[in-house]
Amino acid sequence: MKKERINAFLRALEKQGAEAAVLAKPSNVRWLSGFTGEGLLVVVAGAASVVTDFRYVEAAQREAPGCAVRSISGGVTHEAIAAELLKAAGVKTAAFEDDVLTVRQMQRLEQAAEGIHFAPAKTRPEALRAVKDQEEIDAIERACAITCAAFERILAVIRPGVTERAVAFALENEMRALGAEGTAFPTIVAAGANGSLPHAVPGDTAIASGMLVTMDFGARVDGYCADLTRTVAVGQPDALQRRVYDAVLEAHLRAMDAIAPGACGRDVDAIARAYFKTCGWETEFGHSLGHGVGLDIHEEPRLSMRSTDVLEAGNVVTDEPGIYLPGQCGCRIEDSVLVTRDGCRSLTPAAKELIIL
Ligand code: ZN
Ligand code: ZN
């Protein structure tokens, strides 16, 4: 059990008049308890209980010391046990994650916990998780170091005739070989015209000379994610490809300069967007500039056109502008960046000048 985190969460709940919470989102459950399996976490009166099933009982006891572990059996549901724990503690109002709990789970909870009021959590664990402690930063740094090392190794693999799928497989293989427990998200490799799809799925397209190849990938270490994108050229890039690359790099660097405590998410996003406008590409950057990275690959805070999130030391965010020209090419450059007390530091210092293979 992560006592300090649970207490911070309970203090936040108190402000909305809730004394307890029932949580289902795996990253929230893990952050508050350490438990990585399936089930619910019931937080009440400074204590936490994992409600799970036979498959995870031993893991829960090992991963979440200090938490009570309850196992469903004989047709008793997770929600019935959660309700029992709330009733036993005399809870009147319990918070839940309204973006996670299913309608069915909610109905079961309300049926079993008659008399207890359920309210969406106003402060969600995600808000507290946005500022990372040293242990979390260390895990993200290790994930980023593996990701950057895999990028260096993949350069020897990329050449005409190799498919996107083969590059993606090799990248994932390298990350595992370097010590990753898995990938943080499905690897993106987009060659040539496929590069205009920001979330392209690697397919059978063979890399050819004259293509830009965008790779977006990340390792996972101790549950924590890394997120890196690099675009390389195979053969000499033409004038348009060169112009796109230079613009994306400049937007990326300008935004990075603005990442610091106190900066507002939408203002950092606006810096990259304004620069692209001066290049004549106002609509070709159609996604947001960045997102928080942690136990989830996309989390708070956000760097987007509408984000009012204010950056704090200990946030880890991405800086990932891109230009996408349908039918022609695409380019994105992305770092995972730690907000420090006096600015920021990239955790993914892989080379950014255009690599021509
Ligand atoms: Zn990415
Ligand atoms: Zn990203």
Side-chain angles (χ1 to χ4, degrees), residues 185 188 199 215-218 226-229 291 297-298 318 320 332 334-336:
F185 56 92
I188 295 169
H199 269 202
M215 291 162 281
D216 188 347
F217 59 104
D227 197 358
L228 172 76
T229 306
H291 53 86
I297 183 61
H298 296 127
T318 66
E320 52 178 307
R332 179 166 65 256
E334 173 181 34
D335 274 5
S336 296

Side-chain angles (χ1 to χ4, degrees), residues 164 185-205 212-217 229-231 244 283-287 320-334:
E164 295 169 335
F185 56 92
T187 300
I188 295 169
V189 177
N194 294 342
S196 69
L197 307 166
H199 269 202
V201 176
D204 293 323
T205 300
L212 293 181
V213 179
T214 297
M215 291 162 281
D216 188 347
F217 59 104
T229 306
R230 287 293 182 270
T231 300
V244 166
T283 57
E284 285 75 5
F285 172 39
H287 56 76
E320 52 178 307
I323 292 286
Y324 308 94
L325 306 176
Q328 300 182 77
C329 66
C331 173
R332 179 166 65 256
I333 298 174
E334 173 181 34

Side-chain angles (χ1 to χ4, degrees), residues 117-201:
H117 173 63
F118 287 92
K122 283 185 184 156
T123 301
R124 299 170 309 133
E126 284 90 332
L128 307 175
R129 281 166 39 196
V131 174
K132 273 73 181 171
D133 63 26
Q134 196 53 50
E135 199 181 317
E136 296 180 287
I137 292 168
D138 289 347
I140 296 171
E141 284 211 67
R142 278 180 284 138
C144 286
I146 287 171
T147 306
C148 288
F151 172 68
E152 271 178 38
R153 292 187 181 183
I154 204 66
L155 297 176
V157 173
I158 300 172
R159 59 180 175 275
V162 177
T163 64
E164 295 169 335
R165 203 194 302 271
V167 173
F169 179 72
L171 267 174
E172 293 178 0
N173 215 25
E174 292 293 1
M175 290 193 285
R176 291 300 293 257
L178 287 158
E181 66 196 20
T183 56
F185 56 92
T187 300
I188 295 169
V189 177
N194 294 342
S196 69
L197 307 166
H199 269 202
V201 176

